[in-house]
Amino acid sequence: MDILNSPDFWIGLLKIVWINIILSGDNAVVIALAARSLPPHQQKLAVFWGSGAAVVLRIALTVVAAKLLALPYLQIVGGCLLLWIGVQLLGDEDEGEGESKEYGNLMTAVRTILIADLVMSLDNVIAVAAAAQGSMLLLVLGLAISIPLVIFGSTLMIKLMERFPIIVLLGAALIGWVGGETIVGDSALGGVMEGRHWLHYAAAAAGAAFVVLIGKTLQARGARSAAGA
């Protein structure tokens, strides 16, 4: 294949891999948060299937991402979904350890990963598509190579969350931050946001605060219910 002998091909591939390393940090956090509530033997399955399906989803999204981002109110809906996911992940944080610890469901975790990645990848895939310069082979190869990177990052995050619980709170806040950014990035709010860059950060901070506040409230309510049962 002559294309493999082209320096432009390898440069493009390196660009895509590097873009995915940079942009996959928040995705790794979502995967780790969703998988951490599973039994240890299912965590690796959730990370593997969630990461693999998310990359396939990104390939499909690349074809229509630019058009989807132009649709009014779509990012508002997507941002609200991210806020809901962040609240659920924080509110469902394990209240017990050892024998009293309740485990989640594998399919539920994978579904959460896919929904979050769908929303968070809409703008990311545009950067990847630009680096691929219309080459589907380059796009598929670059995203396929990124799978082990996301898996490694997610696995590392799960271990860190088990050792340092504060990371769970920070991870949920990150999802809320991205949710706030996604909402104000909607094309329907273009007129409101024009010339008001501070609103972008204010909305992101409000999203993070919302997830932490509501998530912690639900967590405390769940703890009281469990104690009274």
Side-chain angles (χ1 to χ4, degrees), residues 69-229:
L69 285 174
L71 292 176
Y73 308 113
L74 181 64
Q75 286 189 256
I76 293 177
V77 174
C80 290
L81 268 175
L82 280 181
L83 294 179
W84 176 78
I85 287 173
V87 167
Q88 291 296 310
L89 290 175
L90 184 58
D92 292 341
E93 185 177 355
D94 301 322
E95 295 143 7
E97 296 296 335
E99 295 180 358
S100 63
K101 181 176 178 178
E102 293 185 3
Y103 289 119
N105 179 271
L106 175 61
M107 292 308 298
T108 300
V110 173
R111 185 178 68 239
T112 299
I113 292 168
L114 283 177
I115 293 174
D117 198 78
L118 172 65
V119 177
M120 299 167 83
S121 295
L122 278 175
D123 51 352
N124 293 359
V125 294
I126 292 180
V128 175
Q133 297 182 336
S135 171
M136 185 56 66
L137 174 61
L138 198 55
L139 177 66
V140 173
L141 278 176
L143 291 175
I145 291 173
S146 71
I147 293 178
L149 299 175
V150 176
I151 290 176
F152 173 77
S154 304
T155 304
L156 178 62
M157 286 301 302
I158 291 174
K159 292 179 180 178
L160 289 175
M161 286 175 182
E162 291 174 350
R163 188 168 183 178
F164 306 103
I166 187 64
I167 296 179
V168 175
L169 180 66
L170 296 176
L174 174 62
I175 296 174
W177 181 280
V178 176
E181 284 184 323
T182 302
I183 290 173
V184 296
D186 193 279
S187 59
L189 301 178
V192 177
M193 296 298 297
E194 188 174 358
R196 298 182 177 91
H197 299 294
W198 63 270
L199 280 175
H200 176 88
Y201 299 103
F210 174 83
V211 167
V212 171
L213 180 62
I214 302 301
K216 279 295 183 182
T217 300
L218 292 177
Q219 190 183 89
R221 184 180 301 173
R224 287 196 298 268
S225 299

Side-chain angles (χ1 to χ4, degrees), residues 19-92:
I19 288 171
N20 274 288
I21 291 174
I22 296 173
L23 299 181
S24 294
D26 47 6
N27 299 85
V29 170
V30 170
I31 293 171
L33 281 170
R36 86 188 198 288
S37 62
L38 297 173
H41 68 280
Q42 287 189 352
Q43 288 181 353
K44 291 182 179 179
L45 286 175
V47 170
F48 176 79
W49 288 111
S51 302
V55 170
V56 172
L57 186 64
R58 287 190 184 194
I59 294 173
L61 278 176
T62 303
V63 182
V64 294
K67 293 182 180 179
L68 287 177
L69 285 174
L71 292 176
Y73 308 113
L74 181 64
Q75 286 189 256
I76 293 177
V77 174
C80 290
L81 268 175
L82 280 181
L83 294 179
W84 176 78
I85 287 173
V87 167
Q88 291 296 310
L89 290 175
L90 184 58
D92 292 341

